[in-house]
Every structure is written in C-alpha cells, then in structure tokens.
Amino acid sequence: MRTTTVEELRILQGKPRNVRNVCVLAHVDHGKTTLVDSLVASNGIISASMAGKHRYMDSRSDEQERGITMKSSAIALKHTYEGDDMLINVIDSPGHVDFSSEVSTAVRLCDGAILVVDVVEGVCPQTKVCIQQAWTENLKPVLVLNKIDRLVYEMKLHPLDAYVHLTQVLEQVNAVMGELFASEAISKGTDTWTSGLEAADDSQLYFSPEQGNVVFASAIDGWAFNVSYFANMFAPKMNLDPVEVRKFVWGDFYFKGNKIVAGAQEKAKKPVFVQMVLDNLWSVYEAKDKEKLKLMAQRVGCQMSARDARHPDHRVQIKALLAQWLPLANSVLDMVCKDVPSPANLSEARVTGLMSSQLATFDILPEESKALKKSFMGCSASDKAPVIVFISKMLPVEKRDLPENKPKPLTSEEIARRQQLARETRTQMLEKAKAGIGAIKMSAEKEETKADVVETNEEEELPEINMSFVAFARVFSGTIKQGQTLHVLNPKHDPHDALKRLSAGEDVGPHVLPVTVSHLYILMGRELEAVDFVPAGNVLGIGGLEEQVLKSATLSTTVACPAFTELQQAAEPILRVALEPKLPKQMPRLVRGLKLLNQADACVQVLVQETGEHVIITVGEVHLQRCIEDLKLRYANIELNVSDPIVQFRETIIEPPKTDMVNEAITDASMVKDIEVWTANKGAFLKLQAVPLPIEITNLLENSRQQLRLDPFKIKEKLRCGPNILLNRIEGHKGSVWTEEGAYGSTFINGFQLATFAGPLCEEPLMGVCFIVQDFKEEGEVITGQLMSAVKDACRKAFQSQPQRLMLAMYTCNILANADILGEYSLFSP
C-alpha cells in the first residue's frame, strides 16, 4: 500500500532545497533495476518481498522477457532524511549499449548519478561510458558496489580476500574518474602540460567510503550499508567518537586493543573493515541453523516474521534478516540526500554548459540571456521568474492510460441513475422477447454487421491513433502551469536575432513556435498523476506537445533564453534495414507508424531513399528488434517485410596517386580541380574544391561530440559536430569556417550538410572531406533555394573529381570471462 499521496508530493515539489534529481547508471545486468525496485518498495508502491522480481520500472513486455531495461523512466519518491521530508526523483536508465541514447536523456535532467558496479565483473565498457556521460553533464556521482552476495556464493571468498577484491574494484572506478579529471585539467593548462593538473582541485573527485559517497550493497537481497552505520554501532563500545571511527573503518588500519592504528598490511593484521563489517556479514551468509539466524536477528534488533521463519529455504531467511537489519533504501537515499546537490545549488559550470550552444559560447550571448543565469542558479518558482524547461525526449503513452481518460469514481447519484437505467433496459428486452421482436432485430443487426465488414474490406482507412506523447522534462526556472503559453525554441534559435526582431516589432523568427501546455503530470514509473502546476527544480511530464516537439526541445516564456545544447550520444546508429508492408495498401499505415517511431525513439533514424524505400537506422541488433516490434504492435499495427541488416558505409576521398599504372611518376602533381557552378537563374557563381582531411583531424572530428577549436589551422569559430569541414577561402575571408552569421551563411551550411549526408557513390554519408570555397560572386538576383542546390551540386562534383573510396564500419567488443572457462588454449587457464 502506498505510503505517500500525490498531495504530499505536490507540497515537496515547492521546496527545491528538499528535492534531489538523480539517475541510476550502470553496465547491463549490474543490478540497476533491482536496486530501484527496493527504492520503490520503500514508498509502499510494491511489496518489499517482490523487489528484484517485479522490475517495476520495466513496463514493456520485451523488457520483462529479456530482463534488461530499454528505456529511461522516472518515479517520484518520498524519503525522510535527518528529520526532513525529501522528494527524490529517480530515473532508471538502460545499461545496454544499444540504448545508450536513453542514458543521455536521463543525465540531462538530473543533478546527480547513482553509479552501480557489480563487484564481480568490475568496471565494464558501459560503466566507463556512463561515467563519461555523467562527467560531461557535470553531475555529482555516488557509488554503489553491488552484488556482494556473489563474493560469498559464487567466488567463495573469505572476508579478507573479499576486502582486497573490493579495494581493487574501487581503484578501477577511481582510475576512470582520474583519467577524466586529468584530461580536463591538462586541457586548461596554459604554460605547460602540467600547470592545469597542478592547479586543479581533486579533493572531492574520488569515491571513498570514509567520505560517505560509497555504499556496499546486495540489491537482490535488499540490503546496503555505508561505513558510518558500523562506526556508529561500534564507537560507543570502544568509547570513541563515531566521527573519528568512520575515518578508519576503510583503509590500512587494524584494532590494537581499543585503539585503531595504521599498518594492517605491514603487520599482517586483519583490517578494521574485515573485522567490523565483513566478518559479521559472512557469519550471516554462512549460517545454516534457523535458531542461529533468530539469535542473530535479536542481537541486531530485528524480528523475523513467522512466515520467513517457516520457509524451507534458508536463503530466504538470510535475505529477510539482512533486509531488516540493513535496509537498502535507507542507505542509498541517505547518501543521495547528503551528496547530490539540490536544484537550488546548481554549479556555475553546469549552467553555462547548458546555455552555451554549438555555435556560441556563454560569453557572446546577449545581456538579456546572460541575466537568465541568476534564474537558473536561484531555481526561483515565483511568477516573476522566467519559465525555462528542457524536454529530453517524448514518451509514448496509450491514450487510455492518461489520467484524464481513466474512468472516474461514480457518485452515489450516478450509481442510482445507472441502476435505474439498467432495470428499465431489462424490462424492455423482456417485453420484446415475448413478442418475438428481439430475435428479428438480432438477425437484422447481424446482416448489417456483415455488410459493414464487406464494405470496410473494400476500402481500408487509417485507424485512429490510440497513442499519445508525454514530454519527459525538467523545470529549471519559474513555474510551468496548465494552460500556459510558452515558446518552443528550435536548436537554431538565436537570441540575438529574436531580440532584435522583437524590439523592431517584427515576428520573432522561424525558430520560435508558440505552444499551449494542455496537461502536466508527476511521473510515477508506470503511472502518471495529473497536477495543475510544477515549480522549478522538478522532473515532470507535459502533455499536448506532440505536434510542436519532435524529440527534444527548450521551452521558455522569453526568447532571450538560448536553446539548450544538444544531447550527447554515446553510440551512433549504423545498422539499417529497409521496410515495406506485406499488403501494399497498408503503406499509409507504415508511413504514419514510422513518424511515430521516429518521435518515440531518441536514437533511431528514419529515412526515405531516392528509390522510395523506407529505411530505419538503429544502433544494434537489440535496438533494431525493439523498433520492428514497436512498428508491428504499437505504431503501424501491420505485418512487415524486413530486409537483411546492412551496416552503413562512409564515402571519402584520398590523396591523388603520385605514380601511374606503369609506375612512372606523374608530372602534374596538382590533381585538385576547382569546380565552378552557377545557380539555375545565373544569379550567383561559386567555385570550390574538395581535399582529403588528415586522418588525425578526421578522428578528432569523429570522436568529439562537443565544440571544437582547431588552432593549428587558425580556425577560431566553433565547428558543427561532424567528420567534414566547409572552409571559406573567399578573398578577404581566408582561413575562416562558415557560420550562420553574414550573407548566405546558413544557405552555404545547409547545402554543405545535404551534400555530406548522402554521397554520390551510394548515397552514404561522407567522412574526412574538406570542401574549400574559393570564390563566390553575385551576378544578379540570388534565390537561397537555388544557391543551396548549387552548393550541394558543387560539393558532389568536387568530390567526384578526386579518387573516391568506401569505408567499412569497424566493430569492437570486450569479452569478459573467468580464467577457469577460457579453454585449454588459454595461457591463463588452470
């Protein structure tokens, strides 16, 4: 039974300092969703005995079948910390690499991250990716070392060996944090490569049990603890201060009488953590006698239920004892409340990072936009504060599951009226049956139904869409209200231009759209709770935006607000298939279904080839299977023919050969040709050439997902993300990259992007190509559409004038296995 009402959550939403927004990140199968189940059970939403089995946040049937999370989903939980009621918005995210885009949508809305690591598997590839994403978004991470029960049951380690193993896993995690810190610190150095590293502060960087940002847990058994718990338990027995004891529970310390001294490893002594913590845990796990477990329960102040005491499986009794003694939710949520900052304490780095676009840093924003920084950091919910909301993705929800469409409880008057109507209907049916009218009418109705079926089969119409979209969002400033009108800010929105237009009394421009908020929701996992308003600092759902927002967007009451930076994707879609309906007349259903899929999935790409084929591009096989199932069962509701998967190529050019086919030197070393193109109406002329980029520059462009500054080429402007470059060498502008500022800047960029999106070889994206604009002249009227087409055609012709190559995708993977199963040819097999 739920222990928290919607009204209580509403009240807590108005206290931003008592709000925490946190996401759960981990490699696949490291125990995220099981851990979240225990957190959900703490609010009575599910039974504590079902935690780990229910998988409450996995609402899709394929998630339950596969046992993996495929989407990010949020739930609002109430927790009491040091006497204060706290509201914790927990977002469970996938760990599978195919759904890493869902992790990106989660981290953008949060201030902290719960990093879950399986102590047996340690740091895995996706663990590093999650840490990288949290670091990029300036989140405060806390660590949960999970599945400690596996050290007992599977690895069969003794407490001392388990302690050594735990220290190694902790070092692995901290090594990743150190790499990220060093990389960022060195990049900020000015004099030498060490200056930035020496000046940076890393005191709060690493995970350390004595600092309280590490919890040891077994989510499947429902228990967790930090070192403070055992320090508070044993300090009175030793007549010591618990705060002082906490500093020495973890580390190279051992007991010497009633004192704790350093040098456990040197003196071959049992560390404090082993003696105080692990020995006690191992005693519980290794207990086989029910009476002994009951005695242990009494010593730690727990009462085992009669049902658990009678259970024949002693593992159930162990789980019941540990879950009562060391409840997981208390330890994890206490750590979140203590270490994760509230929305009212956003760091300056995070605010400037959100407000800086790919083409403009925070410094060059207009003064009206810079003034919004105070609203961000103050997290004010007053009516005077500007409303600023970021939408990270669109959640597909069946219309029947929306709160406004659910049946409402009937009043006593309505119940009485329906009962009276039922009695009257029954009386009429009895009278007609006696007269034989009922049978005739039923026969006639059947004939009409048959006729309708025949008529329907002759002409198929598109069925009504039973799917709606709810925006997955967070309020950063102000209070969003139902019925409020806001601006949807397109990624190309320029505050400078919009404010200039507004001051001149003109329309604010094509990149700003008005939208009315129809519904607001508190996200509760599988359910939605309707509310009238949501103040700053909270995660929420917004209804009625599916026509204005495709995947992500920024909402605000002021056009001075810049569009938030785009979400950073850890994996790019490369696996493509062509789709067609088995029945050709159902093509309209497929087209509409693809539009819905494109909006519902944060990473999928939907294309229509020049041949008319409908193509979807996904990250991997599991992602592809989910998309196909969604089309068949949810969005299109038709049977599909799916082609074999094809991995995308990349088109590129190489340096011209220096020798010919008979190995003689080519005297004309310059094979770079200038391509001259006129617009269709002869209003403009341009000349450009294509040259290959050095592999180092190509790799830099491909790997960088943020703004780039290439000093060796004296390129001072920020570049768009992509593995190609458009260079401006028109006289008077040499050495600069095209930007959207200036005459025809956006037109040249759009033509360049069209050309690089689909190359001339086989309509695959280009990679590692630099297009250099040598000349541009206006000879008459310049039509932007014609100029865009001319730029695209010139780029394609310049590309074709050079030696062309196709590039294959390379697949890399890490295989983890224990030494005893590597096989007889392994160097490390026993």
Side-chain angles (χ1 to χ4, degrees):
M1 181 179 180
R2 283 193 179 183
T3 58
T4 305
T5 64
V6 177
E7 188 59 34
E8 289 176 319
L9 297 178
R10 280 181 173 179
I11 295 173
L12 290 174
Q13 282 186 334
K15 302 176 181 179
R17 297 193 179 278
N18 288 24
V19 176
R20 300 291 185 272
N21 298 311
V22 64
C23 54
V24 186
L25 308 178
H27 188 79
V28 65
D29 289 334
H30 277 208
K32 298 178 309 299
T33 305
T34 302
L35 182 140
V36 174
D37 265 7
S38 293
L39 304 184
V40 172
S42 68
N43 276 223
I45 298 174
I46 63 173
S47 169
S49 61
M50 293 299 296
K53 303 174 184 176
H54 198 291
R55 300 182 64 89
Y56 181 76
M57 303 299 283
D58 291 348
S59 57
R60 297 172 54 100
S61 59
D62 49 1
E63 288 180 313
Q64 294 286 345
E65 292 171 1
R66 290 178 178 269
I68 62 172
T69 302
M70 297 184 179
K71 67 182 186 322
S72 295
S73 50
I75 189 167
L77 302 176
K78 178 184 174 183
H79 177 66
T80 302
Y81 175 68
E82 294 183 348
D84 292 332
D85 287 338
M86 311 290 289
L87 174 63
I88 303 179
N89 294 305
V90 179
I91 304 180
D92 184 25
S93 62
H96 197 287
V97 64
D98 279 16
F99 308 107
S100 56
S101 61
E102 291 285 332
V103 180
S104 302
T105 65
V107 297
R108 173 57 62 86
L109 305 184
C110 297
D111 304 309
I114 302 175
L115 180 65
V116 183
V117 176
D118 184 335
V119 294
V120 174
E121 297 184 8
V123 174
C124 295
Q126 200 62 18
T127 309
K128 296 180 181 179
V129 172
C130 291
I131 296 175
Q132 172 72 56
Q133 289 179 298
W135 180 273
T136 302
E137 292 288 342
N138 291 292
L139 303 191
K140 174 67 176 178
V142 292
L143 179 63
V144 175
L145 295 177
N146 192 30
K147 299 193 179 183
I148 291 182
D149 58 290
R150 294 184 66 188
L151 301 180
V152 182
Y153 290 118
E154 295 182 25
M155 300 186 72
K156 301 187 184 304
L157 298 180
H158 294 292
L160 182 58
D161 297 330
Y163 168 72
V164 174
H165 183 82
L166 289 173
T167 59
Q168 293 171 348
V169 174
L170 187 59
E171 287 172 0
Q172 291 176 11
V173 180
N174 282 330
V176 178
M177 297 295 294
E179 289 174 5
L180 295 172
F181 173 77
S183 146
E184 181 178 283
I186 292 173
S187 67
K188 295 179 180 178
T190 54
D191 300 328
T192 64
W193 70 273
T194 59
S195 61
L197 189 59
E198 293 172 352
D201 179 19
D202 64 347
S203 59
Q204 301 296 320
L205 172 68
Y206 298 107
F207 297 108
S208 177
E210 59 268 25
Q211 291 184 3
N213 59 2
V214 178
V215 158
F216 303 88
S218 170
I220 195 66
D221 287 342
W223 62 264
F225 68 88
N226 55 24
V227 296
S228 297
Y229 176 84
F230 284 91
N232 295 334
M233 177 185 292
F234 285 95
K237 300 178 181 179
M238 303 165 57
N239 296 322
L240 296 175
D241 183 7
V243 177
E244 292 299 319
V245 174
R246 185 180 65 188
K247 299 177 182 178
F248 307 107
V249 174
W250 180 267
D252 189 31
F253 304 99
Y254 69 98
F255 284 112
K256 187 175 183 181
N258 281 342
K259 296 181 180 180
I260 300 177
V261 295
Q265 185 175 0
E266 181 183 354
K267 301 275 182 74
K269 298 292 185 180
K270 185 180 293 187
V272 173
F273 188 79
V274 176
Q275 192 168 348
M276 186 183 290
V277 180
L278 296 185
D279 281 348
N280 291 303
L281 278 176
W282 259 243
S283 297
V284 176
Y285 272 114
E286 293 174 353
K288 305 296 183 181
D289 188 3
K290 293 183 180 181
E291 295 301 324
K292 186 176 180 180
L293 286 172
K294 287 183 180 179
L295 182 60
M296 290 179 174
Q298 293 174 3
R299 288 181 178 177
V300 295
C302 299
Q303 181 66 41
M304 193 176 297
S305 67
R307 179 180 180 182
D308 292 332
R310 292 195 303 266
H311 203 284
D313 186 359
H314 78 282
R315 178 74 186 267
V316 174
Q317 297 164 356
I318 292 173
K319 179 178 179 180
L321 169 57
L322 291 172
Q324 285 188 56
W325 176 28
L326 305 168
L328 183 145
N330 289 353
S331 298
V332 174
L333 296 181
D334 282 352
M335 177 173 63
V336 168
C337 294
K338 181 180 75 70
D339 289 310
V340 174
S342 71
N345 294 323
L346 281 180
S347 66
E348 186 174 349
R350 177 136 200 253
V351 173
T352 54
L354 291 173
M355 297 180 67
S356 302
S357 70
Q358 290 186 337
L359 295 177
T361 61
F362 181 81
D363 296 334
I364 67 174
L365 290 174
E367 293 301 322
E368 295 88 342
S369 300
K370 292 180 180 178
L372 296 176
K373 182 178 178 180
K374 296 181 180 179
S375 301
F376 270 95
M377 302 189 70
C379 196
S380 173
S382 68
D383 292 336
K384 295 182 180 180
V387 176
I388 302 175
V389 179
F390 180 74
I391 299 170
S392 65
K393 69 171 183 175
M394 302 295 286
L395 294 170
V397 180
E398 292 191 15
K399 291 182 177 179
R400 65 185 181 188
D401 293 332
L402 295 174
E404 59 268 22
N405 296 334
K406 290 185 178 180
K408 300 179 181 178
L410 298 176
T411 62
S412 57
E413 292 81 4
E414 290 175 333
I415 294 175
R417 188 162 53 250
R418 291 195 177 191
Q419 289 176 342
Q420 179 63 28
L421 182 61
R423 285 194 291 267
E424 293 175 357
T425 303
R426 179 177 174 79
T427 302
Q428 293 176 2
M429 290 179 63
L430 290 174
E431 291 176 355
K432 291 179 180 179
K434 291 180 181 179
I437 300 176
I440 298 174
K441 184 174 181 180
M442 288 177 63
S443 177
E445 288 176 349
K446 289 181 179 178
E447 293 298 327
E448 290 177 2
T449 302
K450 291 179 180 179
D452 290 343
V453 171
V454 171
E455 185 178 353
T456 303
N457 286 336
E458 290 178 356
E459 183 178 352
E460 183 171 341
E461 297 181 357
L462 283 175
E464 182 182 356
I465 300 176
N466 61 355
M467 190 69 61
S468 182
F469 286 92
V470 174
F472 189 38
R474 172 177 168 177
V475 186
F476 284 88
S477 174
T479 299
I480 186 172
K481 301 177 182 178
Q482 187 175 354
Q484 189 175 25
T485 299
L486 300 172
H487 300 295
V488 178
L489 307 178
N490 188 287
K492 291 187 177 181
H493 164 64
D494 182 7
H496 285 282
D497 181 62
L499 290 171
K500 187 184 299 183
R501 289 170 175 264
L502 198 62
S503 61
E506 302 176 1
D507 183 78
V508 290
H511 305 309
V512 180
L513 298 174
V515 67
T516 301
V517 177
S518 61
H519 297 92
L520 297 174
Y521 309 104
I522 297 177
L523 302 174
M524 295 297 295
R526 301 183 180 186
E527 300 178 2
L528 300 172
E529 297 290 350
V531 291
D532 298 327
F533 63 90
V534 178
N538 292 281
V539 175
L540 76 158
I542 309 175
L545 304 183
E546 52 261 41
E547 296 297 329
Q548 290 80 14
V549 178
L550 179 61
K551 295 191 177 186
S552 64
T554 306
L555 307 181
S556 182
T557 52
T558 172
V559 295
C561 178
F564 280 31
T565 53
E566 295 182 7
L567 297 173
Q568 306 300 320
Q569 303 292 348
E572 292 293 331
I574 60 171
L575 188 63
R576 62 165 57 190
V577 295
L579 306 174
E580 64 178 11
K582 288 190 174 180
L583 299 178
K585 65 179 180 181
Q586 292 180 333
M587 180 59 76
R589 284 198 183 193
L590 175 61
V591 173
R592 189 176 68 178
L594 288 172
K595 291 180 180 178
L596 296 175
L597 174 67
N598 187 40
Q599 190 169 21
D601 195 298
C603 194
V604 71
Q605 294 181 7
V606 178
L607 306 174
V608 179
Q609 302 283 61
E610 292 186 355
T611 59
E613 285 185 313
H614 291 79
V615 173
I616 63 172
I617 309 176
T618 61
V619 176
E621 185 178 358
V622 180
H623 186 206
L624 173 62
Q625 291 173 357
R626 191 193 74 171
C627 291
I628 298 300
E629 288 301 311
D630 282 349
L631 280 172
K632 289 181 178 180
L633 304 178
R634 304 183 70 184
Y635 304 133
N637 292 305
I638 59 174
E639 291 297 320
L640 297 172
N641 291 326
V642 183
S643 69
D644 293 333
I646 303 173
V647 177
Q648 274 191 308
F649 295 101
R650 291 290 186 269
E651 300 184 21
T652 191
I653 56 177
I654 61 173
E655 291 286 348
K658 296 181 180 180
T659 58
D660 58 18
M661 297 181 65
V662 294
N663 206 26
E664 294 183 357
I666 298 177
T667 56
D668 185 9
S670 176
M671 294 187 63
V672 179
K673 298 180 181 179
D674 291 336
I675 303 299
E676 300 180 356
V677 175
W678 288 83
T679 58
N681 65 346
K682 305 297 181 180
F685 162 83
L686 66 135
K687 180 170 68 174
L688 59 78
Q689 62 181 220
V691 296
L693 286 172
I695 187 65
E696 296 82 6
I697 302 300
T698 302
N699 291 337
L700 177 63
L701 292 172
E702 180 68 13
N703 295 332
S704 298
R705 300 303 178 193
Q706 300 178 345
Q707 301 169 354
L708 302 177
R709 189 182 296 272
L710 303 183
D711 290 334
F713 290 92
K714 299 181 180 181
I715 299 175
K716 299 302 182 183
E717 290 81 0
K718 301 294 183 180
L719 298 181
R720 291 180 177 271
C721 176
N724 305 285
I725 290 180
L726 177 63
L727 195 62
N728 181 354
R729 282 191 180 170
I730 300 174
E731 185 176 355
H733 300 278
K734 291 184 179 180
S736 63
V737 172
W738 284 95
T739 66
E740 292 191 350
E741 300 176 359
Y744 312 117
S746 61
T747 305
F748 269 83
I749 290 175
N750 291 336
F752 163 73
Q753 290 178 329
L754 288 173
T756 57
F757 182 75
L761 283 178
C762 51
E763 299 298 321
E764 298 288 354
L766 303 190
M767 181 176 180
V769 183
C770 178
F771 294 99
I772 304 172
V773 182
Q774 302 283 11
D775 195 10
F776 172 68
K777 295 179 181 178
E778 297 182 49
E779 302 291 343
E781 181 184 4
V782 179
I783 302 175
T784 56
Q786 292 184 2
L787 179 58
M788 187 188 307
S789 298
V791 173
K792 174 188 173 183
D793 293 340
C795 289
R796 290 174 70 95
K797 290 179 180 178
F799 181 91
Q800 290 175 306
S801 69
Q802 301 298 313
Q804 304 163 59
R805 296 293 185 271
L806 278 179
M807 303 175 69
L808 290 173
M810 300 296 291
Y811 178 78
T812 62
C813 67
N814 293 333
I815 301 176
L816 304 176
N818 294 330
D820 56 348
I821 63 170
L822 288 178
E824 60 179 335
Y825 298 105
S826 171
L827 296 175
F828 306 104
S829 59

